[in-house]
Amino acid sequence: MTFATQPNASHFVNGAYLEDTAGTPLEVIYPATGAVIATLHEATPQVLDQAIAGAQAAQRHWARLSGMERGRVLRRAADIMRDRNHDLSVLETYDTGKPLQETLVADATSGADALEYFGSIAAGLTGEHIQLSGGDWAYTIREPLGVCAGLGAWNYPTQIACWKAAPALACGNAMVFKPSETTPLSALKVAEILIEAGAPAGLFNVVQGAGGVGGPLVADPRIAKVSLTGSVPTGRKVYASAAEGMKHVTMELGGKSPLIVFDDASIEDAVSGAILGNFYSSGQVCSNGTRVFVHRAIKEAFLARLAERTAKAVIGDPLDEATSFGPMVSETQLQIVLGYIEKGRAEGGRLVCGGNRIDKPGSWIEPTVFADVTDDMTIAREEIFGPVLSVLDFDEEDDVIARANATDYGLSAGVYTRDLQRAHRVIARLEAGSCFINSYNDAPVEVPFGGVKASGVGRENSKAAIAHYSQLKSVYVRMGETEAPF
Ligand code: NDP
């Protein structure tokens, strides 16, 4: 192995690496080979306490800086991330197994975009002046919340850390971030870079561990806000715990999103959208369009082209830039996906391609397409979080909209059609937070991202995120005498 993956220590607290070997060992596995590439330790209660206390102290100082000063640090961090994109991408590939072809363009680069965007708008964050009758007036002050807890999923470790840290820090908060125990490496680099960019020690801390660390972090009374990217069941637990302390929350949870392909669509583009929305990151993307509703008139042509193009996936060494399809993040996730494929077969789905574990070390599975899937099948109802694409038939617009909405989830939705009026009409009726017309899964930082229904609460990215990392103080100013009834 030519790349050093073992970090200096498990945690990053108060501006420096910190180790406490009393914590349960945490093996980091390269999913492409199954090799152990690092061994970290879960945070002990002492480490967690130091991280939260350090964040509290740093936040008091950070909040007193102007937005301009805070923004400068974030923009410097964005530049450093871009300069180191190659090394960070290699690390992300080791951490997640995602091909370098992807990590070079979708991870540290997306993190840098978030740091640059929120660094750029930090100076413009203000309250407002409100003129009232009789010459009285009021003003609002946009205040930080305090110390925020960030909890990350394993699919986009660098991106998730930055999507949470950048708006939080821009608003004057500090953060204690807990990556997924499956992918603990990249967030440590984000912490290092922020320090190098001039962030005060303690402003962004990383503690390792599973739910046993995340739980106490969320429940700690010093935490003012919790932002989770994870599954719906975890979201329910974390939201309930945050509610006990009346804390702010952002919940970016799972989905079972519809991608609707009408009979006038460009089949080539729609197949591209379906591939992007099911096989990128080996299907481990929350917003994936896993229920692909295809109009019956073009269904066979769509399936034929989809199978042809799926056969062109380059499945190989993720560190080779020619590879376009990598392993699942872990053996556990692989087994979950294989279980769903088995259910798809047993419940009557027609396997068009894939469906098998790939016989080599690591957690590899073929990109898989099922046709003739019906709404009641398990693979059409539950989030799989793997490369399993289900094609469902439809004939009528009203019917497909009703079926697309018949789910507890509401993260994303997509429509492929050349009829612009239909595109907007259908999107307006779909119950989803992040939607696409003749495209799928674009997530630029300028655009709000998040779900409705069980898929989440709040929005990440864009100016909308500011509302979720700050609070308004209203100040009423009377210019005349104070009147009282007695
Ligand atoms: P999990 O819900 O299992 O975990 C998310 C994070 O929460 C992890 O860091 C996890 O720690 C931690 N955690 C688990 N239990 C608790 C608890 N009781 N208290 C506090 N923290 C806890 O998600 P996965 O990591 O398995 O990621 C997959 C899920 O994430 C999918 O459902 C996917 O749809 C969703 N997701 C949503 C996205 C969005 O933006 N909407 C984006 C990406 C993924 P650990 O894992 O270390 O135990």
Side-chain angles (χ1 to χ4, degrees):
M1 199 169 295
T2 54
F3 192 81
T5 46
Q6 180 72 42
N8 300 353
S10 300
H11 319 288
F12 199 95
V13 171
N14 272 324
Y17 276 98
L18 176 69
E19 190 54 271
D20 182 351
T21 52
T24 312
L26 205 60
E27 286 192 335
V28 187
I29 291 167
Y30 179 38
T33 61
V36 175
I37 53 167
T39 303
L40 309 184
H41 293 89
E42 291 206 71
T44 55
Q46 291 74 18
V47 167
L48 188 58
D49 180 62
Q50 276 182 54
I52 300 173
Q56 255 192 327
Q59 195 267 330
R60 282 192 280 271
H61 159 72
W62 181 248
R64 283 199 294 269
L65 298 181
S66 68
M68 182 87 88
E69 291 166 311
R70 292 198 295 261
R72 211 170 281 146
V73 172
L74 299 184
R75 284 184 285 112
R76 223 178 278 138
D79 290 343
I80 299 173
M81 280 195 98
R82 288 212 178 88
D83 286 348
R84 299 202 188 139
N85 184 44
H86 193 271
D87 279 2
L88 293 169
S89 302
V90 170
L91 181 65
E92 193 78 321
T93 289
Y94 276 119
D95 218 4
T96 62
K98 294 192 295 181
L100 195 55
Q101 190 187 93
E102 289 188 18
T103 53
L104 281 170
V105 297
D107 292 277
T109 53
S110 165
D113 283 354
L115 290 163
E116 182 176 0
Y117 178 85
F118 288 104
S120 302
I121 66 172
L125 300 179
T126 58
E128 58 180 348
H129 163 270
I130 304 153
Q131 193 60 50
L132 300 166
S133 67
D136 289 359
W137 56 286
Y139 63 97
T140 59
I141 303 172
R142 186 167 290 283
E143 296 181 332
L145 301 173
V147 179
C148 303
L151 301 164
W154 37 255
N155 54 350
Y156 283 82
T158 307
Q159 183 191 82
I160 291 171
C162 293
W163 280 20
K164 295 187 188 314
L169 271 43
C171 291
N173 304 287
M175 179 165 274
V176 178
F177 185 79
K178 190 202 78 65
S180 164
E181 64 174 314
T182 313
T183 54
L185 300 176
S186 316
L188 293 166
K189 292 290 169 192
V190 175
E192 263 185 49
I193 287 170
L194 279 163
I195 287 293
E196 221 178 305
L203 190 68
F204 180 75
N205 306 273
V206 177
V207 294
Q208 307 293 352
V213 174
L217 171 61
V218 171
D220 193 288
R222 293 169 289 180
I223 297 296
K225 190 231 157 82
V226 182
S227 178
L228 166 80
T229 297
S231 63
V232 173
T234 303
R236 285 206 174 91
K237 279 190 237 162
V238 170
Y239 201 171
S241 166
E244 278 294 311
M246 211 56 85
K247 296 172 186 180
H248 298 246
V249 295
T250 300
M251 295 280 144
E252 293 294 350
L253 309 176
K256 192 72 198 174
S257 302
L259 171 57
I260 305 175
V261 183
F262 285 96
D263 51 356
D264 65 343
S266 150
I267 291 187
E268 206 55 25
D269 286 343
V271 167
S272 295
I275 288 173
L276 285 173
N278 282 276
F279 299 146
Y280 203 72
S281 298
S282 297
Q284 303 165 112
V285 181
C286 51
S287 49
N288 271 355
T290 47
R291 289 183 296 149
V292 185
F293 291 93
V294 182
H295 194 279
R296 207 179 301 274
I298 58 163
K299 170 187 145 183
E300 290 307 330
F302 178 92
L303 283 171
R305 192 65 188 125
L306 179 60
E308 225 170 75
R309 287 184 50 190
T310 301
K312 291 188 179 151
V314 180
I315 304 173
D317 177 3
L319 292 162
D320 179 345
E321 278 185 53
T323 296
S324 58
F325 188 86
M328 304 300 305
V329 75
S330 63
E331 181 64 28
T332 309
Q333 190 61 20
L334 174 82
Q335 291 303 332
I336 291 171
V337 176
L338 285 172
Y340 277 111
I341 291 173
E342 207 34 60
K343 279 189 187 139
R345 281 191 171 118
E347 293 175 15
R350 168 162 62 100
L351 198 57
V352 175
C353 58
N356 302 303
R357 181 176 192 147
I358 300 170
D359 186 21
K360 57 181 189 160
S363 40
W364 296 82
I365 191 167
E366 295 169 337
T368 299
V369 176
F370 277 105
D372 303 336
V373 175
T374 53
D375 298 343
D376 55 331
M377 290 183 191
T378 309
I379 56 170
R381 288 186 291 106
E382 296 182 13
E383 184 183 46
I384 299 173
F385 227 59
V388 183
L389 185 163
S390 294
V391 174
L392 303 92
D393 312 337
F394 78 95
D395 296 297
E396 299 295 332
E397 182 179 308
D398 279 348
D399 173 59
V400 77
I401 292 170
R403 291 168 60 202
N405 287 337
T407 168
D408 290 340
Y409 294 111
L411 185 50
S412 289
V415 174
Y416 271 87
T417 176
R418 288 193 173 100
D419 177 341
L420 277 182
Q421 284 171 325
R422 172 155 64 191
H424 296 294
R425 184 173 68 230
V426 172
I427 285 289
R429 292 177 61 195
L430 289 173
E431 295 165 1
S434 299
C435 297
F436 307 92
I437 294 175
N438 294 331
S439 179
Y440 207 83
N441 261 354
D442 312 79
V445 67
E446 298 94 327
V447 182
F449 181 82
V452 301
K453 296 163 51 180
S455 289
V457 174
R459 291 292 175 268
E460 295 202 296
N461 291 343
S462 80
K463 288 186 286 243
I466 298 302
H468 300 291
Y469 283 102
S470 60
Q471 58 196 353
L472 289 176
K473 175 179 279 172
S474 304
V475 184
Y476 186 102
V477 183
R478 184 176 294 280
M479 299 302 284
E481 291 172 0
T482 304
E483 288 176 22
F486 52 86

PDB file of all heavy atoms in Angstrom, residues 38-58:
ATOM      1  N   ALA A  38      -6.536   0.516   9.055  1.00  0.00           N
ATOM      2  CA  ALA A  38      -6.272   1.365  10.221  1.00  0.00           C
ATOM      3  C   ALA A  38      -7.026   0.782  11.409  1.00  0.00           C
ATOM      4  O   ALA A  38      -8.026   0.092  11.232  1.00  0.00           O
ATOM      5  CB  ALA A  38      -6.740   2.796   9.964  1.00  0.00           C
ATOM      6  N   THR A  39      -6.512   1.063  12.592  1.00  0.00           N
ATOM      7  CA  THR A  39      -7.249   0.672  13.804  1.00  0.00           C
ATOM      8  C   THR A  39      -7.367   1.901  14.698  1.00  0.00           C
ATOM      9  O   THR A  39      -6.355   2.477  15.112  1.00  0.00           O
ATOM     10  CB  THR A  39      -6.534  -0.468  14.557  1.00  0.00           C
ATOM     11  OG1 THR A  39      -6.391  -1.574  13.644  1.00  0.00           O
ATOM     12  CG2 THR A  39      -7.352  -0.927  15.746  1.00  0.00           C
ATOM     13  N   LEU A  40      -8.589   2.295  14.941  1.00  0.00           N
ATOM     14  CA  LEU A  40      -8.843   3.448  15.802  1.00  0.00           C
ATOM     15  C   LEU A  40      -9.524   2.961  17.073  1.00  0.00           C
ATOM     16  O   LEU A  40      -9.760   1.752  17.244  1.00  0.00           O
ATOM     17  CB  LEU A  40      -9.751   4.461  15.082  1.00  0.00           C
ATOM     18  CG  LEU A  40      -9.342   4.905  13.676  1.00  0.00           C
ATOM     19  CD1 LEU A  40     -10.302   5.970  13.167  1.00  0.00           C
ATOM     20  CD2 LEU A  40      -7.930   5.444  13.658  1.00  0.00           C
ATOM     21  N   HIS A  41      -9.854   3.895  17.943  1.00  0.00           N
ATOM     22  CA  HIS A  41     -10.573   3.543  19.174  1.00  0.00           C
ATOM     23  C   HIS A  41     -11.794   4.428  19.327  1.00  0.00           C
ATOM     24  O   HIS A  41     -11.748   5.617  18.999  1.00  0.00           O
ATOM     25  CB  HIS A  41      -9.651   3.714  20.394  1.00  0.00           C
ATOM     26  CG  HIS A  41      -8.524   2.746  20.398  1.00  0.00           C
ATOM     27  ND1 HIS A  41      -7.318   3.014  19.783  1.00  0.00           N
ATOM     28  CD2 HIS A  41      -8.435   1.493  20.900  1.00  0.00           C
ATOM     29  CE1 HIS A  41      -6.524   1.967  19.925  1.00  0.00           C
ATOM     30  NE2 HIS A  41      -7.175   1.023  20.598  1.00  0.00           N
ATOM     31  N   GLU A  42     -12.862   3.820  19.846  1.00  0.00           N
ATOM     32  CA  GLU A  42     -14.063   4.611  20.107  1.00  0.00           C
ATOM     33  C   GLU A  42     -13.768   5.634  21.199  1.00  0.00           C
ATOM     34  O   GLU A  42     -12.932   5.380  22.085  1.00  0.00           O
ATOM     35  CB  GLU A  42     -15.198   3.706  20.583  1.00  0.00           C
ATOM     36  CG  GLU A  42     -15.718   2.802  19.494  1.00  0.00           C
ATOM     37  CD  GLU A  42     -17.166   2.398  19.742  1.00  0.00           C
ATOM     38  OE1 GLU A  42     -18.050   3.252  19.606  1.00  0.00           O
ATOM     39  OE2 GLU A  42     -17.389   1.230  20.089  1.00  0.00           O
ATOM     40  N   ALA A  43     -14.465   6.748  21.137  1.00  0.00           N
ATOM     41  CA  ALA A  43     -14.258   7.786  22.151  1.00  0.00           C
ATOM     42  C   ALA A  43     -14.757   7.298  23.511  1.00  0.00           C
ATOM     43  O   ALA A  43     -15.857   6.757  23.618  1.00  0.00           O
ATOM     44  CB  ALA A  43     -15.008   9.055  21.755  1.00  0.00           C
ATOM     45  N   THR A  44     -13.933   7.507  24.509  1.00  0.00           N
ATOM     46  CA  THR A  44     -14.365   7.231  25.880  1.00  0.00           C
ATOM     47  C   THR A  44     -15.174   8.442  26.363  1.00  0.00           C
ATOM     48  O   THR A  44     -15.121   9.513  25.737  1.00  0.00           O
ATOM     49  CB  THR A  44     -13.132   7.063  26.792  1.00  0.00           C
ATOM     50  OG1 THR A  44     -12.328   8.252  26.641  1.00  0.00           O
ATOM     51  CG2 THR A  44     -12.311   5.840  26.410  1.00  0.00           C
ATOM     52  N   PRO A  45     -15.902   8.319  27.463  1.00  0.00           N
ATOM     53  CA  PRO A  45     -16.637   9.485  27.978  1.00  0.00           C
ATOM     54  C   PRO A  45     -15.708  10.685  28.214  1.00  0.00           C
ATOM     55  O   PRO A  45     -16.111  11.830  28.021  1.00  0.00           O
ATOM     56  CB  PRO A  45     -17.238   8.964  29.290  1.00  0.00           C
ATOM     57  CG  PRO A  45     -17.372   7.485  29.078  1.00  0.00           C
ATOM     58  CD  PRO A  45     -16.209   7.088  28.214  1.00  0.00           C
ATOM     59  N   GLN A  46     -14.453  10.422  28.598  1.00  0.00           N
ATOM     60  CA  GLN A  46     -13.505  11.525  28.848  1.00  0.00           C
ATOM     61  C   GLN A  46     -13.204  12.279  27.551  1.00  0.00           C
ATOM     62  O   GLN A  46     -13.142  13.508  27.530  1.00  0.00           O
ATOM     63  CB  GLN A  46     -12.187  11.006  29.449  1.00  0.00           C
ATOM     64  CG  GLN A  46     -12.265  10.476  30.871  1.00  0.00           C
ATOM     65  CD  GLN A  46     -12.957   9.113  30.963  1.00  0.00           C
ATOM     66  OE1 GLN A  46     -13.102   8.393  29.977  1.00  0.00           O
ATOM     67  NE2 GLN A  46     -13.396   8.770  32.159  1.00  0.00           N
ATOM     68  N   VAL A  47     -13.000  11.513  26.465  1.00  0.00           N
ATOM     69  CA  VAL A  47     -12.697  12.151  25.173  1.00  0.00           C
ATOM     70  C   VAL A  47     -13.894  12.988  24.719  1.00  0.00           C
ATOM     71  O   VAL A  47     -13.748  14.137  24.274  1.00  0.00           O
ATOM     72  CB  VAL A  47     -12.347  11.079  24.107  1.00  0.00           C
ATOM     73  CG1 VAL A  47     -12.350  11.672  22.704  1.00  0.00           C
ATOM     74  CG2 VAL A  47     -10.989  10.453  24.411  1.00  0.00           C
ATOM     75  N   LEU A  48     -15.082  12.423  24.853  1.00  0.00           N
ATOM     76  CA  LEU A  48     -16.286  13.145  24.446  1.00  0.00           C
ATOM     77  C   LEU A  48     -16.438  14.431  25.255  1.00  0.00           C
ATOM     78  O   LEU A  48     -16.740  15.503  24.708  1.00  0.00           O
ATOM     79  CB  LEU A  48     -17.508  12.232  24.635  1.00  0.00           C
ATOM     80  CG  LEU A  48     -18.826  12.755  24.074  1.00  0.00           C
ATOM     81  CD1 LEU A  48     -18.730  13.034  22.582  1.00  0.00           C
ATOM     82  CD2 LEU A  48     -19.954  11.753  24.348  1.00  0.00           C
ATOM     83  N   ASP A  49     -16.186  14.320  26.545  1.00  0.00           N
ATOM     84  CA  ASP A  49     -16.310  15.504  27.410  1.00  0.00           C
ATOM     85  C   ASP A  49     -15.310  16.581  27.002  1.00  0.00           C
ATOM     86  O   ASP A  49     -15.650  17.764  26.922  1.00  0.00           O
ATOM     87  CB  ASP A  49     -16.093  15.103  28.875  1.00  0.00           C
ATOM     88  CG  ASP A  49     -16.217  16.310  29.781  1.00  0.00           C
ATOM     89  OD1 ASP A  49     -17.310  16.916  29.820  1.00  0.00           O
ATOM     90  OD2 ASP A  49     -15.211  16.686  30.431  1.00  0.00           O
ATOM     91  N   GLN A  50     -14.076  16.153  26.725  1.00  0.00           N
ATOM     92  CA  GLN A  50     -13.064  17.138  26.305  1.00  0.00           C
ATOM     93  C   GLN A  50     -13.476  17.819  25.006  1.00  0.00           C
ATOM     94  O   GLN A  50     -13.264  19.019  24.832  1.00  0.00           O
ATOM     95  CB  GLN A  50     -11.730  16.432  26.053  1.00  0.00           C
ATOM     96  CG  GLN A  50     -10.891  16.216  27.287  1.00  0.00           C
ATOM     97  CD  GLN A  50      -9.560  15.555  26.907  1.00  0.00           C
ATOM     98  OE1 GLN A  50      -8.831  16.032  26.054  1.00  0.00           O
ATOM     99  NE2 GLN A  50      -9.266  14.442  27.520  1.00  0.00           N
ATOM    100  N   ALA A  51     -14.046  17.041  24.082  1.00  0.00           N
ATOM    101  CA  ALA A  51     -14.442  17.608  22.780  1.00  0.00           C
ATOM    102  C   ALA A  51     -15.550  18.641  22.958  1.00  0.00           C
ATOM    103  O   ALA A  51     -15.498  19.732  22.377  1.00  0.00           O
ATOM    104  CB  ALA A  51     -14.902  16.491  21.844  1.00  0.00           C
ATOM    105  N   ILE A  52     -16.534  18.317  23.768  1.00  0.00           N
ATOM    106  CA  ILE A  52     -17.657  19.253  23.934  1.00  0.00           C
ATOM    107  C   ILE A  52     -17.197  20.499  24.704  1.00  0.00           C
ATOM    108  O   ILE A  52     -17.543  21.629  24.341  1.00  0.00           O
ATOM    109  CB  ILE A  52     -18.854  18.566  24.643  1.00  0.00           C
ATOM    110  CG1 ILE A  52     -19.335  17.362  23.815  1.00  0.00           C
ATOM    111  CG2 ILE A  52     -20.008  19.553  24.826  1.00  0.00           C
ATOM    112  CD1 ILE A  52     -20.404  16.507  24.483  1.00  0.00           C
ATOM    113  N   ALA A  53     -16.385  20.283  25.742  1.00  0.00           N
ATOM    114  CA  ALA A  53     -15.897  21.431  26.521  1.00  0.00           C
ATOM    115  C   ALA A  53     -15.023  22.332  25.648  1.00  0.00           C
ATOM    116  O   ALA A  53     -15.133  23.569  25.689  1.00  0.00           O
ATOM    117  CB  ALA A  53     -15.114  20.945  27.740  1.00  0.00           C
ATOM    118  N   GLY A  54     -14.168  21.699  24.826  1.00  0.00           N
ATOM    119  CA  GLY A  54     -13.299  22.476  23.935  1.00  0.00           C
ATOM    120  C   GLY A  54     -14.114  23.268  22.923  1.00  0.00           C
ATOM    121  O   GLY A  54     -13.813  24.425  22.615  1.00  0.00           O
ATOM    122  N   ALA A  55     -15.171  22.640  22.411  1.00  0.00           N
ATOM    123  CA  ALA A  55     -16.029  23.317  21.433  1.00  0.00           C
ATOM    124  C   ALA A  55     -16.732  24.504  22.074  1.00  0.00           C
ATOM    125  O   ALA A  55     -16.845  25.585  21.469  1.00  0.00           O
ATOM    126  CB  ALA A  55     -17.057  22.329  20.879  1.00  0.00           C
ATOM    127  N   GLN A  56     -17.166  24.323  23.319  1.00  0.00           N
ATOM    128  CA  GLN A  56     -17.839  25.425  24.020  1.00  0.00           C
ATOM    129  C   GLN A  56     -16.921  26.632  24.160  1.00  0.00           C
ATOM    130  O   GLN A  56     -17.314  27.766  23.913  1.00  0.00           O
ATOM    131  CB  GLN A  56     -18.235  24.953  25.418  1.00  0.00           C
ATOM    132  CG  GLN A  56     -19.707  24.681  25.561  1.00  0.00           C
ATOM    133  CD  GLN A  56     -20.100  24.497  27.013  1.00  0.00           C
ATOM    134  OE1 GLN A  56     -19.325  23.980  27.823  1.00  0.00           O
ATOM    135  NE2 GLN A  56     -21.313  24.914  27.332  1.00  0.00           N
ATOM    136  N   ALA A  57     -15.674  26.354  24.561  1.00  0.00           N
ATOM    137  CA  ALA A  57     -14.723  27.455  24.768  1.00  0.00           C
ATOM    138  C   ALA A  57     -14.420  28.142  23.437  1.00  0.00           C
ATOM    139  O   ALA A  57     -14.409  29.372  23.347  1.00  0.00           O
ATOM    140  CB  ALA A  57     -13.442  26.913  25.400  1.00  0.00           C
ATOM    141  N   ALA A  58     -14.191  27.349  22.391  1.00  0.00           N
ATOM    142  CA  ALA A  58     -13.853  27.926  21.086  1.00  0.00           C
ATOM    143  C   ALA A  58     -15.020  28.734  20.529  1.00  0.00           C
ATOM    144  O   ALA A  58     -14.834  29.784  19.906  1.00  0.00           O
ATOM    145  CB  ALA A  58     -13.476  26.814  20.104  1.00  0.00           C
TER     146      ALA A  58
END
